[in-house]
Amino acid sequence: MKKKGEMKKVKKVKDKVNDGQDDDPWWWLVQEGIRPSFLCISLFALLVRVAVGLHPYSGARTPPKFGDYEAQRHWMEITLNLPPKDWYRNSSVNDLSYWGLDYPPLTAYQSYVHGVFLKTFDPDSVALFTSRGYESYLGWVFIVSTFRKLLMRWTVLSSDVLIFFPAVLYFVLVYRSMRFGMGQNSDVAWHIAMILLNPCLILIDHGHFQYNCISLGLTIAAIAAALSQKDLVASVLYCLALNHKQMSAYFAPAFFGYLLGKCLRKKNPLLEVTKLGLMVIGTFAVVWWPYLQSKDAALAVLSRLAPFERGIYEDYVANFWCTSSVLVKWKKLYSTQSLRIFSLAATLITCLPSMVQQILAPSSKGFLYALLNTSFSFYLFSFQVHEKSILLPLLPLTLLALEESRSILWLTHFAMFSMFPLLHRDKLVLAYMALYALFILVYFAPCGPSGRCHGTKTLDNTQKTKRSVDFITSITFHPLLMGFLG
C-alpha cells in the first residue's frame, strides 16, 4: 500500500512537470527560462545572418561608385587615414562626392574601429585611394576580394552580436517582468524570434550591407532602460542612437514626452528635468568633441546630416509624398524650401498627439505605442525618406508583437514588398523569398499566439476574404514588379 502511494505521488509530480506539454510544443525550449530560449533562437538567427551574407551586396559589379558596401568601406578608409577634423570636409584627399560621410560622428567612430580591424588582416582594403572600388573576379585577386568581403560581413555580424542581441535580451527581460499580456512561456520565445528574425533588418544589414543593428540596438536598450525606470541611462543610450544615425529622431517625440511626463510627476520636477538635460548635453558633447573646437567644423558635419538636395523622397519609398506624387508632382510644383515646410508641418501635426498624451499621462505601454505612432509620422511625412526607413516604425511594432500580432504580419509583409525594388537591384531575390518564408513559418508556429486558435479573435468572413485578397494581390505583384524592373 505504501509503495502504491509513493508511485501515485511520483506520477503526480511528473504530471505537474509535464503540464502544458500538449498545449505548448516548444515546452522543452522555454521550461528553463528566458535566457536558454534566447540563446537557442540567437544561434539560429546568427546562422540565418551568415547565410544571407553569402549573397550579393549593394553595388556589386556596378562601377564607378558601386553601392552601400563601398560607401561603408570608404568611410573606414577615410576615418583611418585622416584626422577627425577632415572626415566631413571636402578636400583633395576626401572627395565628398565619392561617398562622403553623411551620418553623425558615432558612425564615423564605428567606421574607424572597423577600419582598424580590417587593417589588421588586410591593410590594402583600407589603403587611401588605392582601395576604392577594388573588385575583381579572376584568379588570386578573386580570393583576396572574397576574403575582404568576409571581413566586411564580419563587422556587421559582430555589431549585431555585441549590440543588437544583448539589447533585445534586455528588453525581453524587462517586458516579461511587466507582464504585458504574456500568457504561456512559449510566447516569450515567439516574441524573441519575431525581433531577432525580422527579415527586413536582416536583408538590409546582412544583404544590402548597412549597420542599422547598431542604432536600432541602442534604441531598444534605451527603451528597456526607460521602462525599467533607469531614465538617465535611457537618455544616454538614446542620444548614442541619435548620434549614430540621425533617422533615430523618428523616436524623439515619444522619448521626450515619456521622460518629461515622468519628471513632472516626481517630487522635484525641475531637478529631474535638469538631470536629464545634463545627461543629453554631456553625451552630445563627448561624441561631438572633435567638432566643437571650431564653428566651421561643426557646421561641416551638420551640413552633411541634412541632404536636402536629394529631394523629398527617394526611389520607390512607400510614404505619403511618393505615393501622392502620382497625382501631385511635388518636386516640380514646389521648391525645396516649400517642401521642407510642408513636411515639417505634417510631421509635427501627426506626431504631437502621442507626445502630448505621454507628457500628460505617461505609461509604459503608452510609451511603446507612442514610439510606433511617432515613427510612422516621420516615415510618412518627413523630408528625405528612403526605402530602408521602414525599419524604424517596424522596430516598435516588433516590440509590441504580442499585442499587435496581426499588425506585425501585415506591416512586415508590406515592408518587404516596399523594399523589393531595392533588394531586386542588389540580386537578393532568393534571400528575400527564403527570409519571407521563414518569417511566415515562425509567425504561424503552433507555440506562438498567432498559431493557437485561442490566441486571436475569430475574423468574420468579410475580413478573411479582404485580407486574403490583399495578400494574394501583393504576392502576384512580385513577378510583375520583377518584369518592370528588368
Side-chain angles (χ1 to χ4, degrees):
M1 288 291 289
K2 189 176 179 182
K3 191 174 181 180
K4 194 173 181 181
E6 287 176 355
M7 287 176 70
K8 282 184 179 179
K9 187 180 278 188
V10 170
K11 187 177 183 302
K12 197 172 181 180
V13 171
K14 282 183 178 179
D15 288 342
K16 190 175 181 181
V17 170
N18 296 329
D19 184 37
Q21 285 185 31
D22 295 333
D23 298 328
D24 196 351
W26 285 2
W27 69 273
W28 56 272
L29 180 64
V30 297
Q31 65 175 335
E32 298 298 329
I34 295 177
R35 288 177 180 83
S37 305
F38 182 83
L39 180 61
C40 292
I41 296 168
S42 294
L43 289 173
F44 179 71
L46 201 60
L47 289 174
V48 171
R49 284 160 166 76
V50 171
V52 171
L54 299 175
H55 290 76
Y57 51 84
S58 170
R61 306 191 196 187
T62 55
K65 289 189 68 174
F66 299 92
D68 278 19
Y69 173 92
E70 170 62 12
Q72 301 289 346
R73 190 216 56 76
H74 176 60
W75 295 347
M76 297 177 197
E77 169 200 342
I78 290 299
T79 54
L80 197 63
N81 292 285
L82 300 179
K85 64 183 179 66
D86 292 330
W87 290 351
Y88 293 88
R89 190 169 60 86
N90 195 53
S91 65
S92 57
V93 289
N94 183 21
D95 181 6
L96 293 181
S97 64
Y98 184 82
W99 297 120
L101 262 166
D102 53 7
Y103 286 116
L106 196 60
T107 288
Y109 304 147
Q110 165 234 310
S111 298
Y112 174 80
V113 171
H114 287 153
V116 171
F117 170 76
L118 257 68
K119 187 176 181 180
T120 303
F121 296 96
D122 183 17
D124 292 339
S125 65
V126 285
L128 197 61
F129 297 125
T130 57
S131 62
R132 297 183 188 183
Y134 183 80
E135 197 173 42
S136 178
Y137 293 87
L138 298 171
W140 170 249
V141 181
F142 168 72
I143 298 174
V144 174
S145 180
T146 303
F147 177 64
R148 184 168 299 171
K149 290 165 197 166
L150 290 174
L151 289 176
M152 287 287 287
R153 291 293 193 190
W154 173 252
T155 62
V156 183
L157 201 64
S158 60
S159 300
D160 231 337
V161 171
L162 293 174
I163 297 175
F164 190 78
F165 282 47
V168 172
L169 176 59
Y170 181 24
F171 173 80
V172 170
L173 289 171
V174 172
Y175 190 82
R176 174 67 169 171
S177 69
M178 303 181 81
R179 301 184 182 278
F180 284 162
M182 287 211 181
Q184 301 187 25
N185 281 339
S186 57
D187 286 355
V188 185
W190 183 85
H191 195 194
I192 294 168
M194 281 291 102
I195 303 173
L196 291 184
L197 294 172
N198 180 328
C200 298
L201 177 60
I202 295 173
L203 284 166
I204 292 298
D205 274 17
H206 299 272
H208 178 78
F209 202 94
Q210 284 200 346
Y211 295 90
N212 295 287
C213 55
I214 296 177
S215 58
L216 294 180
L218 290 168
T219 301
I220 293 175
I223 293 168
L227 293 176
S228 56
Q229 311 310 315
K230 296 179 176 65
D231 295 347
L232 298 180
V233 175
S235 298
V236 171
L237 289 170
Y238 177 64
C239 287
L240 291 175
L242 195 55
N243 276 289
H244 186 264
K245 288 207 170 184
Q246 61 267 41
M247 286 87 74
S248 297
Y250 283 26
F251 305 118
F255 271 99
F256 177 80
Y258 181 61
L259 294 177
L260 178 60
K262 288 206 292 184
C263 286
L264 296 177
R265 274 150 191 78
K266 293 183 179 177
K267 263 187 178 180
N268 194 333
L270 184 60
L271 176 62
E272 298 300 327
V273 171
T274 302
K275 286 196 291 186
L276 284 178
L278 288 174
M279 294 304 288
V280 170
I281 293 169
T283 305
F284 269 83
V286 170
V287 174
W288 282 70
W289 184 251
Y291 306 100
L292 297 179
Q293 312 304 315
S294 74
K295 182 181 175 181
D296 290 340
L299 289 176
V301 180
L302 290 172
S303 66
R304 296 295 301 166
L305 304 186
F308 293 116
E309 70 282 354
R310 293 186 189 175
I312 197 165
Y313 61 85
E314 276 191 47
D315 291 338
Y316 304 99
V317 60
N319 78 332
F320 171 78
W321 307 110
C322 183
T323 305
S324 61
S325 66
V326 177
L327 301 174
V328 182
K329 303 302 178 184
W330 299 104
K331 292 183 179 180
K332 291 181 179 178
L333 292 174
Y334 301 99
S335 65
T336 299
Q337 181 61 27
S338 298
L339 291 174
R340 284 164 63 180
I341 295 170
F342 293 164
S343 65
L344 177 62
T347 305
L348 289 177
I349 289 169
T350 51
C351 74
L352 269 177
S354 292
M355 185 179 76
V356 172
Q357 188 272 336
Q358 282 302 291
I359 293 174
L360 298 176
S363 68
S364 297
K365 203 167 186 179
F367 172 50
L368 292 175
Y369 278 98
L371 289 164
L372 178 61
N373 294 339
T374 60
S375 57
F376 260 123
S377 295
F378 274 80
Y379 177 76
L380 290 173
F381 299 108
S382 65
F383 198 97
Q384 226 311 288
V385 177
H386 50 70
E387 310 98 312
K388 293 160 279 190
S389 300
I390 192 61
L391 294 175
L392 288 111
L394 196 56
L395 177 70
L397 190 57
T398 55
L399 301 183
L400 282 165
L402 288 167
E403 271 71 28
E404 301 293 338
S405 59
R406 289 179 193 165
S407 298
I408 188 66
L409 171 66
W410 290 101
L411 182 62
T412 301
H413 171 72
F414 291 115
M416 291 279 283
F417 184 67
S418 71
M419 293 194 309
F420 184 74
L422 174 72
L423 299 171
H424 177 269
R425 190 164 62 236
D426 292 341
K427 298 179 176 60
L428 289 166
V429 174
L430 180 60
Y432 173 95
M433 293 189 295
L435 259 71
Y436 185 73
L438 175 63
F439 170 77
I440 293 296
L441 286 172
V442 173
Y443 180 83
F444 288 107
C447 67
S450 298
R452 295 193 297 265
C453 292
H454 58 79
T456 57
K457 295 177 181 177
T458 305
L459 296 173
D460 59 39
N461 290 331
T462 305
Q463 289 175 311
K464 285 180 180 177
T465 303
K466 184 180 180 300
R467 288 174 183 267
S468 298
V469 169
D470 288 343
F471 188 81
I472 292 168
T473 302
S474 59
I475 290 292
T476 306
F477 266 110
H478 278 79
L480 294 175
L481 193 56
M482 283 179 69
F484 173 74
L485 296 169

